[in-house]
Amino acid sequence: MSDAEKRLQVKRSCTRWLSGHGESTMRERLAGLMAMPESEGYPDVYGSGDPVALLERRVAELLGKPAARFVVKGVIAQQAALRTWSDASRIHTVALHPLSHIDSDELGAFERLHPLRAVRLDGGRGFGVAELEAVGEPLGVVTVELPLRNAGFALPDWDDLVAVSHWCRGHGVPLHFDGARLWESAPYYGRPLDEIADLADSLYVSFYKGLNGLAGCALVGSEDFLARATPWLTRHGANVYANYPYALSAIDGLNRYLPRMAAYRDRAESLAHAIAQVRGAGVTTPRTNGFRVFLPGSPDALAGAHLRLAERTGTWLFNRGATTDVPGLTAVEVQVGEATEAIPDDEAARLVADLLDSAEGDR
Amino acid sequence: MSDAEKRLQVKRSCTRWLSGHGESTMRERLAGLMAMPESEGYPDVYGSGDPVALLERRVAELLGKPAARFVVKGVIAQQAALRTWSDASRIHTVALHPLSHIDSDELGAFERLHPLRAVRLDGGRGFGVAELEAVGEPLGVVTVELPLRNAGFALPDWDDLVAVSHWCRGHGVPLHFDGARLWESAPYYGRPLDEIADLADSLYVSFYKGLNGLAGCALVGSEDFLARATPWLTRHGANVYANYPYALSAIDGLNRYLPRMAAYRDRAESLAHAIAQVRGAGVTTPRTNGFRVFLPGSPDALAGAHLRLAERTGTWLFNRGATTDVPGLTAVEVQVGEATEAIPDDEAARLVADLLDSAEGDR
């Protein structure tokens, strides 16, 4: 058994988890989907039919856009979006943040599969109009990830986001939102989803992060945009034969978790505050339900200590961490969900302190 | 409601179907997956874990290859295969039949997303060594679709297939099988799957045709080949978060339908023979469970008459047909499955005659 498999096994043997919505067996998830009224009818055929159409209508309505299309994987939806916009303008440059998922986690797919080139804008934990102004070359499309997960779930201030949108419209450059965690971002802005989505010409929203779906996402925009994106979706392999398990689980997620996103964000604030009191620990300021925790020790040492803690307490705090720019400091993530409710702030802080003591004992 | 939606509604209101394994509601399918012993554990994470690993091991073993990788969509698996082989040889040409699915049904994806160019070999309903010899330029990869569906489910003779394999090995050109219906092809050759697969360096096999899975396929070959294909699978968006509903349904399909493929092929022979006796009807000679039926009339006229027949008899014979090279003759498909068993040959022939009478009445 690999280390990763061992960790996953222990994680699933726990009874409490600091992040997420808990662990379910396949049978439990399938039973949940079966119990939904939306599972009564016949399967979609290549995405045509309910419950996919139902999900698409609901997402389009929530985001105030004319149309939404279910896509099995965000990598597909976003490449189709970038290619569609850049083909329309005949300008094959994509402005993005170098920490964005598209640029850092997909093996350069958009540059390797399409005649696209990145223009990397780095204003620290995001970019704004100043960085766009400084580019000095034509841009085919601008994309903003909300929140920028690899920068500790960073969200731009509302005024800065509006300014980027205005800049793009003023310069005739399409703006695409990578909204993998858009559902989780709205509470920070205190604005409805459609007001946020209105700033962009197209969006991708994910169903399997905060919404706890099985997989999949939606590509959202005008009817014309989606019609032009469709051949690229096809070429990428988006036309999966039956999509209903994913669509059902996404509808369930919209019913169950979307209304709780503001509460999850509030909980992230108090939880981050409590963990920040632990000697040696630091946190990013949560703007969504997610934040980063910085802990002394190497990822290996912390993972080893954490595994023992999880076996001893039945509580899973963090997945394996990553090194940071600061030597000897590791970053782990918290993403508040339903499971987090079972662990009070003070207990979470005590467990983190316990973890650090144990990790220190290893040295 | 569109014509296609209306047809699907009537199809699902029928009680008998000449092709396929019958129509199930979402809830029925989900209940079937839940009842499988393989649904007891926890979900895979990005394809890692059972039942995906179980399925991959079983497919690799059936095909006698070192490794298999579940992929949500064949379009993804096959482009990754073609790119991997052509990158290895630095020769970016793909030899294929112009009727192959890759060339005719995917909007030229492999040429639009990759620096690949087709070399189209047309030897009628397939191609052989003669066509390969005639190319006169270096080939990066040769791909053969088994059976060639758009040519009426045509299968090459065994000796011709062996000769193509030997030619490829002798010339150092990788051979890839598009085995969307490989499960259905083995009975014609009267050889085990691994003996057929041994002719190719890599294969794609589908889970949602004869096996009746929800969706998905496997890419099969050496460990090294799959390792080199993995970055391309990732860039195409193959890393779906949870794959178990598809994997479960594929395992169920291997259990339930793979052992019946020879019987389905035999049935296709007797059924095609019976339908060929109907005045005006013609058939292709079945080599798999599938064959084409040629009927006088336009696709529109036949679809209209067929819809009335289906409503009247509760029996669904054919999906909408396509025009042929012969004016006034339409081609429809039959693919024998579990549902076909409920309709005896002579009754199928009577229903086809009934359909032609009714369509003629429309003129």
Side-chain angles (χ1 to χ4, degrees), chain A residues 12 24 26-27 34 36 39 41-43 46 73 76 79 107 113 208 214 235-237 239 242 244 246, chain B residues 12 24 26-27 34 36 39 41-43 46 73 76 79 107 113 208 214 235-237 239 242 244 246:
Chain A
R12 285 169 165 173
S24 305
M26 291 182 269
R27 203 166 275 166
M34 271 182 69
M36 293 173 63
S39 71
Y42 285 92
Y46 290 116
K73 180 76 186 172
I76 296 175
Q79 285 184 74
L107 306 180
L113 289 172
Y208 72 92
L214 295 181
R235 292 186 183 112
H236 265 279
N239 291 345
Y244 63 88
Y246 296 154
Chain B
R12 285 169 165 173
S24 305
M26 291 182 269
R27 202 165 276 166
M34 270 182 70
M36 294 172 64
S39 71
Y42 285 92
Y46 289 116
K73 181 76 187 172
I76 296 176
Q79 284 184 74
L107 305 180
L113 289 172
Y208 72 93
L214 295 181
R235 291 186 183 111
H236 265 279
N239 291 345
Y244 62 87
Y246 297 153

Side-chain angles (χ1 to χ4, degrees), chain A residues 241-254:
Chain A
Y241 185 63
N243 300 271
Y244 63 88
Y246 296 154
L248 287 170
S249 71
I251 291 170
D252 189 49
L254 288 172

Side-chain angles (χ1 to χ4, degrees), chain A residues 46-47 52 56 67-85 87 113-114 176 202-205 216-241 243, chain B residues 72-77 79 101 105-110 112-114 235-238:
Chain A
Y46 290 116
V52 176
E56 289 173 341
R69 161 105 183 251
F70 177 84
V71 180
V72 74
K73 180 76 186 172
V75 170
I76 296 175
Q78 302 214 91
Q79 285 184 74
L82 300 182
R83 178 64 184 259
T84 299
W85 287 125
D87 273 0
L113 289 172
H114 298 274
H176 173 77
S202 63
L203 303 90
Y204 136 83
V205 287
C217 67
L219 185 60
V220 188
S222 70
E223 299 276 7
D224 176 61
F225 164 76
L226 283 175
R228 287 182 290 121
T230 295
W232 292 110
L233 292 170
T234 302
R235 292 186 183 112
H236 265 279
N239 291 345
V240 169
Y241 185 63
N243 300 271
Chain B
V72 73
K73 181 76 187 172
V75 170
I76 296 176
Q79 284 184 74
H101 191 277
D105 295 323
E106 298 174 5
L107 305 180
F110 72 103
R112 301 294 295 275
L113 289 172
H114 297 273
R235 291 186 183 111
H236 265 279

Side-chain angles (χ1 to χ4, degrees), chain A residues 14 20 22 40 49 73 75 98 113 148 151 174 184 189-190 194 197 215 221 234 237 254 291 300 314 322:
Chain A
C14 284
E40 203 176 282
K73 180 76 186 172
V75 170
L113 289 172
L148 191 58
E184 295 88 326
Y189 294 126
D194 58 356
T234 302
L254 288 172
F291 58 95
D300 274 351

